[in-house]
Structure formats: structure tokens, C-alpha cells
Amino acid sequence: MLKSKLSTLLTLIALAVTVLFGYLFLRDLQGPSLSFSVDDLELGQKIGPRKEIKVLAGDTSGVRKIKVSVKRGSKTLELYEKTFLDTPKTTEYSFTLEDAKLPEGAFTLIVSAHDASFAGFNKGNGTTKEIQLTMDNKQPRIIVETTPPGIHRGGSALIVYKVSEEVKKTGVYVNTYFFPAYLQKENTYACLFAFPESIPGSEYFPQIMAEDTAGNITESRLIVNAVNRNYPSDKVNISDKFLDLKAEELQKIVPYKDTTLERYLEANGKVRLENDKLIHTVCIDKSTPKPKWEGDFKILPRSAVKAQFGDRRTYYLNDKEIDKQVHLGYDFASVAHDTIPAGNHGTVVFAGYNGIYGNLVILEHGLGLNSIYSHLSEIFVNEGDVVEKGQELGLTGTTGLAVGDHVHFGVYVGGIAVQPKEWIDPKWIRNNISSRLVKAK
């Protein structure tokens, strides 16, 4: 009897051990999911040593380890091994092939991952992926075809240059701003860029760059003849009468503030930034590579300039300073509800209401160049319309934060406001833009 009970007990223990073993070692028999994330990483693709590769791994048991190797011929080199002590369910690991110091030519990238299960006596299940790639160590060469341009603070310039190979990105960096270049013919690019008025002359250092399809990047200082320019200060008196006149529109722009003054300050500050961001986004997202404009830009006929580009405005209410802003265009006024001509040939990329700008039309002229027309009382065009120089866009007005009937005319390069005075000057256009574009044709 005792022998029978002992035999039963041993059988139960053996069964429990078997179940436990199965639970620990057989519940997860699959390796982690594993994928690459690196711009269109495909079989045989060229890749540069500094191009970032991301590995995405995931497993219900958690990810324990990721290993990266490269194989060339019969030799395999282990590059990286990352162990995750917290064994996350999903993880991302980024690396480059710079440490491999691979020569030009074909190689195999090998990435493996192990999960945190007890399979393989606590080694975990493994997944390995291989992909055939081609190492490209050569940086693209940039050859500038035009002489160093002259550029004033707040102004624009254009260069034409060649790149030795196909690129995925090229243009000019100015601090945090990027001005893309546009392909005009084989390997030849034209780039309009700015000297933003917000950057002091001592901090203006444009850099030309090109990134090829393998991720190799060339960057160098762009030689320009930069001239600093100081802009005048302007005192703007905001009266109670003006606030009363704008009360209804301010409530439309800033409905969440209680008083008209609070709404005005919010509109002139925070909302202005949001409205400027919309203009910047439209200019960037809807740009086309070929120049559409011809010669200088037309302005409102028989008009007077009421405000200029770059004016440093300080706002006062009852002799008390309440705000400071920079005016980024020209204000032209003639008679009430005068007809506004299109500055040049282009495409309407925005026609609608935009906060402090009121009724706004944005024209796209190609090569990253845009013009804007705001405070309109009426708009005659629609988004997508192709317009000719001089074509009627709408009527001047007082929508937005306009003080009196006028049109605010602005010019933008790469989404950055620039000096309109240059673009309405036929001599400046001829010497600084048209003569240079010839080299891109």
C-alpha cells in the first residue's frame, strides 16, 4: 500500500515537473519579430557609413538581446551587441556602419534578436535577418557655378550649382533655417535663400549641403558678400477707438479671451505666430521646382507706402507700452476697396481667412518664392487658380488687424519673409536673379 502511494506521488511529481517544463520552455517557441526601418532599405541598395539604421524588435516574452554583424566574403565582423535588462515587449535599436570601416562594394548586413523566454535552456528564441547591401563611401561633390552673391540682412540671393551624383536632399542651411534647392537640368540646381532679418550680421553663416541616396553628406561654408542692415523703429499708438472698431473681428480671432484689449494682445502675439506658421507651411508644402515669375513684381497702382519691411514696432495704449512686433512686408494704400494686381505669374496656393492677416491670398511663383496679399475686403481667386502678372486678386480692405484700408504685400523665400523692395526693383531682379538663372537653363 505504501509502495503504491509512493509510486503515485512520484508520478504526480513527474507530471508537475513536465507541466512546469512545458510552461517555462515550450510556451514560447517563436523568435522575436524583427524589421529594419531605414528610408526604403532594399536588396542591393547603396548605403553610406553614417546613415542611421533602425532595428525594430518585439516579442510577447520581451526582447533580451540584439546583435549586429556584417559579412564580406568569408569574413564576418560583429559590430554591436545590446542586452536589455528590462526585456521590453518592443524596442528600437539604432546604429550606423561607420565602425565597420567597410570598403566600397557589396556586403551582407546580419541582425539577430533573442527573446526573454526560457527556450533553449534560458537562451531564448532567436530570429536572424540578412540583407545584401552595397557600401558607398563617396561624398557628393558640389560645384558652385555662380559668383558669390551679395545679400543684405532681410534680403534674398540665388546660386546655381552642380552636384556630382543623384541626391535626396540639397540646399542651403542658415542656422536653423533650410532653403531647398531645385533641380533645373541634369545635376544642376538653383537655390533661392535668405538672410533672415531676425539674424544679426555677426551670426549669418550660410552652409551649402548635399545628401546622396546612400546617406553621405557634404557640407561647406557658402561664400557670400553679406551686408548687415539695421531696420527703423516705429511707434504705434493703439487707441480705445481702434479697439472698439476692431471688437467684433477680435472676438472672431480670439473668442476665448474676455476683454477686447486681452483679445488684441493675444492676437498680436500668440495668434500672429500661428498665422505666420500657416503661411510658412503653405509656402514650403506647395512649392514647385521651376520659376514661374518674369521680371519685377507689380504693386498696387497709384499707392503710397504706409509701412515698410523690417519696421520694429512698439505698441502703446494711453502712452503705456503694451507689445512689440516686427512688420514683415510693405503696406500699400490708395483708395478704399482698390483692385489688387497679382505681383507676378503664379499659382494660388491659399485664398481664405488667416487671423491677423484677415482675408489672405498666397501666390506660388516656383523655386521656393511666394508673395502674399492680406487684409482684403474681397477675394476674386480660388486655390489652384493659375494667374498672370497684373490679374485681379481682390480688393483692399481692413480685415484682420488692419488699421486702415490697404493691402499688406509680402515676399517669402523658403517660407521666410524677405525684403519686398528687392523684388519690385527690375534692376535688382536682372542683376541678382535673372542673370544667374541663365546658368541653370
Side-chain angles (χ1 to χ4, degrees):
M1 184 68 177
L2 181 61
K3 185 176 180 180
S4 176
K5 287 183 177 180
L6 182 61
S7 176
T8 301
L9 180 61
L10 290 174
T11 300
L12 290 173
I13 291 173
L15 180 60
V17 169
T18 301
V19 171
L20 181 62
F21 177 86
Y23 178 76
L24 292 177
F25 294 94
L26 300 179
R27 63 172 178 159
D28 183 358
L29 297 177
Q30 292 186 336
S33 62
L34 193 61
S35 64
F36 298 107
S37 175
V38 59
D39 302 336
D40 309 323
L41 190 61
E42 297 176 354
L43 186 67
Q45 175 185 320
K46 288 185 177 182
I47 189 167
R50 296 182 181 179
K51 189 165 188 175
E52 185 181 69
I53 302 172
K54 291 181 181 178
V55 174
L56 307 174
D59 194 275
T60 55
S61 298
V63 179
R64 178 179 293 162
K65 185 185 295 184
I66 291 177
K67 184 185 291 186
V68 179
S69 305
V70 290
K71 184 178 180 181
R72 184 176 170 86
S74 60
K75 295 182 179 180
T76 300
L77 172 66
E78 291 188 2
L79 287 180
Y80 310 106
E81 184 175 301
K82 173 71 174 178
T83 301
F84 302 92
L85 298 178
D86 55 345
T87 61
K89 302 292 185 184
T90 60
T91 190
E92 181 181 287
Y93 180 61
S94 299
F95 62 92
T96 70
L97 298 174
E98 193 169 8
D99 291 345
K101 301 188 185 308
L102 293 171
E104 295 270 329
F107 70 98
T108 304
L109 175 65
I110 306 168
V111 179
S112 62
H114 284 78
D115 65 22
S117 70
F118 288 94
F121 296 96
N122 206 33
K123 290 183 179 180
N125 300 299
T127 301
T128 298
K129 282 197 172 185
E130 299 184 4
I131 186 168
Q132 302 295 317
L133 298 170
T134 301
M135 177 54 64
D136 178 0
N137 291 314
K138 294 179 181 177
Q139 294 179 315
R141 289 183 296 109
I142 300 173
I143 305 167
V144 179
E145 301 277 284
T146 45
T147 57
I151 185 168
H152 287 80
R153 182 183 176 195
S156 315
L158 184 138
I159 57 169
V160 174
Y161 60 93
K162 290 184 177 180
V163 183
S164 60
E165 59 182 293
E166 180 184 354
V167 294
K168 61 175 289 188
K169 181 179 181 180
T170 184
V172 172
Y173 271 107
V174 177
N175 298 15
T176 58
Y177 301 106
F178 179 68
F179 300 92
Y182 297 88
L183 183 64
Q184 302 301 299
K185 61 182 181 180
E186 186 178 4
N187 294 340
T188 302
Y189 291 81
C191 182
L192 266 177
F193 61 98
F195 184 165
E197 55 76 31
S198 59
I199 298 179
S202 60
E203 298 176 15
Y204 183 66
F205 303 112
Q207 299 270 338
I208 189 170
M209 68 79 64
E211 179 181 357
D212 66 18
T213 56
N216 298 304
I217 299 175
T218 295
E219 293 178 324
S220 63
R221 178 71 60 83
L222 178 64
I223 300 174
V224 297
N225 298 314
V227 180
N228 194 30
R229 172 183 283 160
N230 295 319
Y231 288 94
S233 298
D234 189 16
K235 182 177 180 179
V236 180
N237 290 306
I238 302 298
S239 65
D240 291 324
K241 182 179 179 180
F242 169 77
L243 292 176
D244 291 340
L245 184 66
K246 286 293 177 182
E248 184 176 345
E249 186 137 25
L250 283 167
Q251 188 170 17
K252 176 182 177 180
I253 298 172
V254 189
Y256 50 87
K257 290 293 183 180
D258 296 328
T259 69
T260 303
L261 178 58
E262 288 175 328
R263 289 169 181 156
Y264 176 80
L265 293 174
E266 182 81 354
N268 208 33
K270 181 180 177 181
V271 175
R272 178 187 293 273
L273 294 176
E274 295 170 356
N275 300 155
D276 286 341
K277 184 177 180 181
L278 181 146
I279 294 173
H280 178 86
T281 300
V282 169
C283 292
I284 293 297
D285 291 350
K286 300 189 177 182
S287 61
T288 56
K290 299 293 184 178
K292 302 173 182 178
W293 76 89
E294 291 181 7
D296 57 307
F297 279 61
K298 280 186 171 293
I299 62 172
L300 187 69
R302 304 171 302 280
S303 61
V305 178
K306 295 298 183 181
Q308 300 192 48
F309 177 85
D311 287 351
R312 268 56 183 161
R313 290 179 166 179
T314 302
Y315 296 81
Y316 292 86
L317 176 63
N318 299 325
D319 296 323
K320 180 182 178 181
E321 183 181 320
I322 59 172
D323 201 7
K324 286 186 176 182
Q325 297 295 337
V326 178
H327 189 249
L328 296 178
Y330 267 28
D331 287 350
F332 293 109
S334 57
V335 296
H337 296 179
D338 199 2
T339 303
I340 301 168
N344 222 310
H345 310 309
T347 303
V348 179
V349 289
F350 184 88
Y353 192 81
N354 186 31
I356 68 164
Y357 292 93
N359 292 325
L360 170 71
V361 173
I362 304 178
L363 298 184
E364 189 270 332
H365 303 287
L367 214 61
L369 181 67
N370 293 80
S371 59
I372 75 166
Y373 312 79
S374 67
H375 306 310
L376 280 61
S377 57
E378 289 188 55
I379 296 176
F380 296 160
V381 292
N382 298 298
E383 186 174 329
D385 288 352
V386 176
V387 299
E388 300 296 319
K389 183 191 292 192
Q391 182 175 330
E392 295 179 357
L393 300 177
L395 301 178
T396 61
T398 59
T399 57
L401 290 189
V403 175
D405 188 290
H406 71 279
V407 60
H408 172 92
F409 171 69
V411 178
Y412 286 70
V413 168
I416 302 299
V418 295
Q419 175 62 264
K421 186 177 181 179
E422 296 177 340
W423 291 92
I424 62 179
D425 179 356
K427 183 178 179 181
W428 183 89
I429 293 277
R430 185 169 56 251
N431 293 340
N432 295 277
I433 304 297
S434 303
S435 61
R436 290 171 170 266
L437 276 175
V438 170
K439 292 184 177 293
K441 295 180 180 179

